[in-house]
Amino acid sequence: MRRRNPAQRGRTAFILAFLSPAVLIYGAFVVLPLIQAFGLSLYRWRGVSVQKRFVGLGNFEKLLQDEVFWQALKNNLWLLVVAGVTIMGLSLIIAHAMQSSGRVGRSLRSVYLFPQMISLVVVAVLWQFLYHPTMGPVTSLVKGLGFESLSKQILGDPNAAMPAVAISFVWFSVGFYIMLFAAGLQSLPKEVVEAAELDGSTGLHRFRNVTWPMLWSIKRIAVIYIVINVMNVFVLVRLMTKGGPDRATETMLTYLYQQAFENSEFGYATALAVANFLVAMALAGIVGLILKRDPQGARR
């Protein structure tokens, strides 16, 4: 058996000494609450008494038969696809435009992170005003385009409420992904970009064959972040629509809030939280597997 020399043991001890506080804090504030949540989901508990009744997987069986749960999950997945694709497209376009040293690039760099500096509560109130049935600028625009019936109440229309929430979510979120892709574009090897220019590759051809494949790791990070953020959507929906009308904008977390703090079903709400966590982890894992390897690197 090979023995480690004193220098290696000292290096290992040094690393453990620095990592142990972070590991302990993570375990106390992340891992332990997760374990407690899994345990609580096996009980029926109203949240105001120390008495809890063990129901095993009863909460999860109820969950599978709950139509509102499936509607909320469907809304989350719809938001993931629609808002996710929109965020990826907009952030790439704007990040690419920011690479120029002209007036457009400077203007974009000065404003793209502005929504991230505003409280999410303020964002929700702002978009509520924009969609206001009488004073909202968006409502006036929709009315001017001839959609008279829709302009009366955008957030009150079951077919328009979720797209309206998606627009506000994209507006708030896109700045972070612009920053992410801008950092990725700036880190591209200049010699590769210059070689592509010398070969006559410009515009869309260069982006598709050179820039896009080289952003593989950034794409993986961006998509995983989008999955996590979409599955955690709560404040915007709660303040703008409260999950209505007719559950058209209900999400996993707004339904969880309703079960916990309006219906006093904390055990069932915890089962919802566990289901939300498992779905988010599954989606992130699928994305990680799909985008695990760079096909350009694999061919090399």
Side-chain angles (χ1 to χ4, degrees):
M1 182 177 178
R2 185 179 178 182
R3 292 186 177 181
R4 291 182 296 177
N5 58 45
Q8 289 177 324
R9 290 197 297 270
R11 184 172 180 272
T12 301
F14 179 78
I15 293 172
L16 291 175
F18 273 87
L19 285 179
S20 56
V23 171
L24 289 174
I25 292 173
Y26 185 82
F29 292 99
V30 178
V31 177
L32 184 58
L34 278 175
I35 295 173
Q36 291 176 330
F38 276 92
L40 186 58
S41 67
L42 303 178
Y43 290 84
R44 184 175 183 182
W45 181 46
R46 301 192 64 82
V48 293
S49 171
V50 294
Q51 296 180 351
K52 295 180 288 188
R53 184 162 65 89
F54 182 77
V55 294
L57 297 177
N59 286 326
F60 294 97
E61 293 175 0
K62 179 182 175 182
L63 201 65
L64 294 175
Q65 300 171 3
D66 191 339
E67 293 182 1
V68 180
F69 163 74
W70 291 110
Q71 178 64 37
L73 178 58
K74 178 183 174 182
N75 290 338
N76 274 105
L77 295 178
W78 183 93
L79 190 63
L80 175 62
V81 174
V82 175
V85 171
T86 305
I87 288 172
M88 289 286 286
L90 280 177
S91 57
L92 267 170
I93 292 170
I94 297 174
H96 200 272
M98 284 172 50
Q99 302 306 304
S100 67
S101 57
R103 183 177 299 177
V104 175
R106 291 196 299 269
S107 300
L108 289 173
R109 281 191 290 270
S110 64
V111 301
Y112 78 94
L113 275 178
F114 173 71
Q116 293 285 317
M117 296 184 288
I118 307 175
S119 168
L120 199 52
V121 174
V122 177
V123 172
V125 173
L126 171 64
W127 280 94
Q128 268 189 317
F129 168 74
L130 293 176
Y131 292 129
H132 194 277
T134 57
M135 300 181 296
V138 175
T139 303
S140 300
L141 176 62
V142 171
K143 185 177 181 179
L145 293 174
F147 299 97
E148 185 70 29
S149 60
L150 178 59
S151 66
K152 293 179 181 179
Q153 181 56 280
I154 293 176
L155 295 179
D157 189 313
N159 296 319
M162 199 63 192
V165 171
I167 291 172
S168 62
F169 177 75
V170 170
W171 181 82
F172 172 76
S173 305
V174 74
F176 171 79
Y177 299 95
I178 293 172
M179 180 178 65
L180 199 63
F181 280 111
L185 289 169
Q186 290 175 359
S187 65
L188 296 180
K190 293 183 179 180
E191 59 272 14
V192 176
V193 178
E194 292 171 355
E197 291 177 352
L198 291 173
D199 288 341
S201 180
T202 58
L204 184 60
H205 182 272
R206 186 176 70 186
F207 178 82
R208 185 177 65 251
N209 295 284
V210 179
T211 305
W212 181 248
M214 295 180 69
L215 290 173
W216 191 262
S217 60
I218 301 296
K219 287 184 287 186
R220 181 172 62 246
I221 294 170
V223 175
I224 290 175
Y225 266 114
I226 289 173
V227 169
I228 295 171
N229 289 335
V230 167
M231 295 306 298
N232 287 329
V233 168
F234 171 71
V235 175
L236 277 177
V237 176
R238 180 66 189 176
L239 293 179
M240 291 178 67
T241 65
K242 293 185 179 179
D246 299 327
R247 307 284 188 181
T249 60
E250 195 79 76
T251 64
M252 299 276 281
L253 294 191
T254 57
Y255 189 45
L256 183 157
Y257 178 89
Q258 177 189 341
Q259 291 297 318
F261 299 104
E262 295 178 6
N263 298 345
S264 297
E265 293 284 351
F266 275 81
Y268 188 57
T270 307
L272 277 165
V274 171
N276 185 69
F277 171 77
L278 293 176
V279 171
M281 291 297 293
L283 291 173
I286 292 171
V287 169
L289 288 175
I290 294 174
L291 302 178
K292 183 178 181 180
R293 294 185 62 190
D294 183 350
Q296 299 294 323
R299 285 199 294 267
R300 290 193 295 269

